[in-house]
Amino acid sequence: MGMDGANCNSTISSVATNSLSFVGLLVLCHALHVLFKPFSQPRFIPEIIVGLFLGNWSLVRTQLEVDSNKLQSMKFVIDFGMTIYMFVLGLEMDASSLIRIPKREAIVAYAGMVFTFILTIVFSPLLHYGVSTNLRFYFAFSIIMSSTGSPLLTRVLTDLKIGKSNIGKFAISAAVYTELITILISCIGYAIFQPEGGFLFRGQQIGSGHSAILVSATLLAQTIITIVTGPIVLRWVNDANPHGKTIKGSHMILSVAYSVCVGCISPLMGFSPVLSAFVTGAFLPRQGRISQFVVTKVNNFLAIVFYPYFFVWVGLEARIGQFKVLEDQAWLRLLGFFAVEMVAKILGSLFSGLIFDFHWPESTKLALLLNVKGHLHIYLTIIAMKNQLITYSTCISMILAILFKIIYIPIIARQIIRRGRKRFPNQPLALQWHDPDKELRILIGFHGPENVPCAINFMEISKESGDPGMVVYATDMIQLTDEIAATLVSGGIDMVEVTDETVIKNRDKITTSLHEYIQDSEDDITLQRAMALATFNNMHQEIINLAEDSFITLIILPFHIGLPNVNNTHSGNDAFRYVNRKLGSSQCSMLRCSDGRSRSWWSEEVNIKIIKQHFKCCCYIYWGKR
């Protein structure tokens, strides 16, 4: 009885110590993040600094190395975390894009990959990145180095407020294409070769496991099963759990169990569970409530819990003391890893920029953004070091180079913002100052689907054939209530998503109607969807911020009273009158079309009669100043 009590006390003490240690880790990361905030550095930087410091602190290292069970438990947690990381990473990607005609983002991504692969495979043997001179290792090394850390890049650009800019969205899309292709190529290579066995063919060594043909066939079967059965299972779960209602626990368990069962098919034959999770996620449907729910919840878990813990493990494995500071070759590896890929990405972006007539400054900034590496690359670096494919010194050089590649991103962001302001100088952005050689950028607000016909009429009379065309930001004006706030989930570039069933139906109706019109407009109009989610007290400021960030020339807002129907009059929401008045009291010019009367403070270039005739509804028209 006494022995059991002692064991119980020891267990409670161990749990308490581990919990306090983890809380201290989070506090350190958050404190350092606050210190780095004036420099616009992402959370990745303080996390990796804290992880490397704690992992190489002799007190922490001694405590962990004494107990081998702790190290084994830590490695299990890291492998499990990377498995769900890869599953969500695959779930966020659209594998069907590989069989469609490549977009500009894909071509830019492919060009950067090709140049990076060529330069890396040429210079890597010269810099002695590998322990051996195995050509297959350098092929695998070059493929991984051609990749981009798309989740990290998305998070950083979003935090820096350029995720919605043209170059930001372009860079994120190109990064997703790059990572999708490189990981799928890595999956094929892993099914054929054994990295742990010197990259020999599978089954070539005695006792090395299953043959390459069997592993490849199993991976192919897993992919086919996922493509065929995945949409059926998830569609049934999504239909049984519509937006606005709590997801049933049994259906969530069923979805997770299905994903686990499918993802375990190829690992039974010796394939990597981490890569298998990516394949499963990549070929599952990314649309639907259950997929969005999993992505949101898992990303929150990774950001809050896993990443700080992950970097402590990185610090334990990457022993900074093993870096040969006095050796020139170590610094050459660090510089080479940083410079070779940067030069290759720039060459790829400039080459593709010539095809699409991009300006070279934009191409260069895009290349620097696509040069970013993320958590997966650090994980693979540690695994390669543990399998003696690279040395400790090379491992540390690569981790430091990955760190430096992220530090300069805020500088690139400031350059993008500065160049954008030069292109759109600080002057009134109204129609009378609009350059006819540049695209017309309009923000149109929507209270609901009833505003779509008049908005289409307005776009029809405003568009012009051919270049430069018109960009329309179709913005849903949604009141933030307690009921709506309860349905908010975070995720994506927009940072927040409304899952209320009524709001989703209305937005889908508006999107469908506008896309049907856009498809018939001969590409003269570019449609961008946006959302002004705020209380009525702050909605006018949301609209102004969106207009300023998107360089809007003209803002169109519906009148608060709707059109009369055959049998009744649609009174609308009188609170929108308050929003319109607050916008009208701001430093903007205004036109009001109401009950046949109009008041105007804008240029006579605008024909009020034509607007009233074709718009066929009461409306407010504003345009603001930068």
Side-chain angles (χ1 to χ4, degrees), residues 369-382:
L369 293 178
L370 294 178
N371 199 30
V372 170
K373 297 290 182 285
H375 301 85
L376 174 63
H377 303 88
I378 295 179
Y379 175 77
L380 293 178
T381 300
I382 298 296

Side-chain angles (χ1 to χ4, degrees), residues 510-561:
I510 294 172
T511 303
T512 302
S513 301
L514 291 177
H515 276 303
E516 289 177 355
Y517 165 70
I518 296 297
Q519 289 175 357
D520 299 330
S521 63
E522 299 179 355
D523 296 328
D524 298 328
I525 300 176
T526 301
L527 180 67
Q528 301 282 355
R529 293 290 275 125
M531 179 172 58
L533 176 64
T535 61
F536 284 126
N537 286 333
N538 299 321
M539 188 173 292
H540 70 288
Q541 193 60 49
E542 283 289 313
I543 295 172
I544 291 174
N545 292 339
L546 178 60
E548 290 183 348
D549 293 341
S550 305
F551 303 103
I552 297 298
T553 301
L554 181 65
I555 301 177
I556 311 292
L557 298 181
F559 196 54
H560 64 281
I561 298 178

Side-chain angles (χ1 to χ4, degrees), residues 232-242 251-252 254-255 290:
I232 299 174
V233 174
L234 295 191
R235 189 183 303 116
W236 177 76
V237 173
N238 289 325
D239 292 341
N241 297 272
H251 290 169
M252 176 58 67
L254 174 64
S255 303
I290 193 69

Side-chain angles (χ1 to χ4, degrees), residues 24 58 110 158 163 189 242 276 292 311 328 335 353 431 474 496 542 561 587:
S58 58
Y110 299 155
T158 302
S276 175
Q292 296 171 358
F311 284 117
D328 294 338
L335 179 63
L431 289 181
V496 69
E542 283 289 313
I561 298 178
Q587 295 180 356

Side-chain angles (χ1 to χ4, degrees), residues 12-189:
I12 294 175
S13 176
S14 177
V15 171
T17 303
N18 292 334
S19 301
L20 288 175
S21 301
F22 184 73
V23 171
L25 171 63
L26 297 182
V27 170
L28 279 175
C29 291
H30 182 71
L32 199 59
H33 179 60
V34 172
L35 292 176
F36 283 2
K37 205 166 187 179
F39 306 100
S40 302
Q41 291 298 327
R43 196 173 186 87
F44 180 93
I45 300 299
E47 287 176 347
I48 192 172
I49 291 176
V50 170
L52 290 175
F53 170 74
L54 292 179
N56 287 273
W57 189 14
S58 58
L59 178 62
V60 176
R61 179 180 291 277
T62 303
Q63 294 246 340
L64 290 174
E65 288 180 345
V66 167
D67 190 351
S68 60
N69 292 329
K70 287 185 177 180
L71 289 177
Q72 292 178 357
S73 300
M74 197 172 194
K75 181 61 169 62
F76 172 79
V77 171
I78 296 301
D79 289 340
F80 174 76
M82 287 305 301
T83 301
I84 62 174
Y85 168 88
M86 292 296 288
F87 175 74
V88 171
L89 178 62
L91 199 59
E92 291 180 302
M93 296 182 177
D94 184 12
S96 63
S97 61
L98 299 177
I99 60 176
R100 294 196 294 263
I101 298 176
K103 298 191 296 184
R104 295 189 304 172
E105 296 91 329
I107 295 176
V108 171
Y110 299 155
M113 288 168 52
V114 170
F115 276 91
T116 305
F117 179 83
I118 293 174
L119 290 187
T120 304
I121 205 169
V122 169
F123 286 99
S124 293
L126 301 177
L127 296 172
H128 303 289
Y129 280 111
V131 173
S132 65
T133 58
N134 193 325
L135 185 60
R136 294 169 185 168
F137 163 77
Y138 286 115
F139 265 89
F141 181 76
S142 301
I143 291 171
I144 296 300
M145 291 306 101
S146 302
S147 180
T148 302
S150 59
L152 180 61
L153 181 63
T154 302
R155 190 178 304 111
V156 172
L157 294 185
T158 302
D159 292 341
L160 295 174
K161 309 301 182 185
I162 62 170
K164 293 183 180 180
S165 65
N166 291 334
I167 190 171
K169 291 186 289 188
F170 196 98
I172 291 171
S173 181
V176 171
Y177 277 108
T178 303
E179 192 152 34
L180 175 63
I181 291 294
T182 52
I183 296 180
L184 289 179
I185 294 176
S186 301
C187 291
I188 296 173

Side-chain angles (χ1 to χ4, degrees), residues 447 479 536 560-562 570-577:
H447 300 163
Q479 180 191 9
F536 284 126
H560 64 281
I561 298 178
H570 174 52
S571 60
N573 190 336
D574 200 53
F576 282 112
R577 182 182 185 184

Side-chain angles (χ1 to χ4, degrees), residues 236-287:
W236 177 76
V237 173
N238 289 325
D239 292 341
N241 297 272
H243 285 285
K245 295 183 179 181
T246 304
I247 298 179
K248 297 177 182 178
S250 58
H251 290 169
M252 176 58 67
I253 293 174
L254 174 64
S255 303
V256 173
Y258 167 79
S259 302
V260 171
C261 291
V262 173
C264 287
I265 295 176
S266 56
L268 292 175
M269 295 293 111
F271 191 71
S272 168
V274 175
L275 295 179
S276 175
F278 176 83
V279 173
T280 304
F283 291 99
L284 282 175
R286 58 197 295 260
Q287 296 81 16

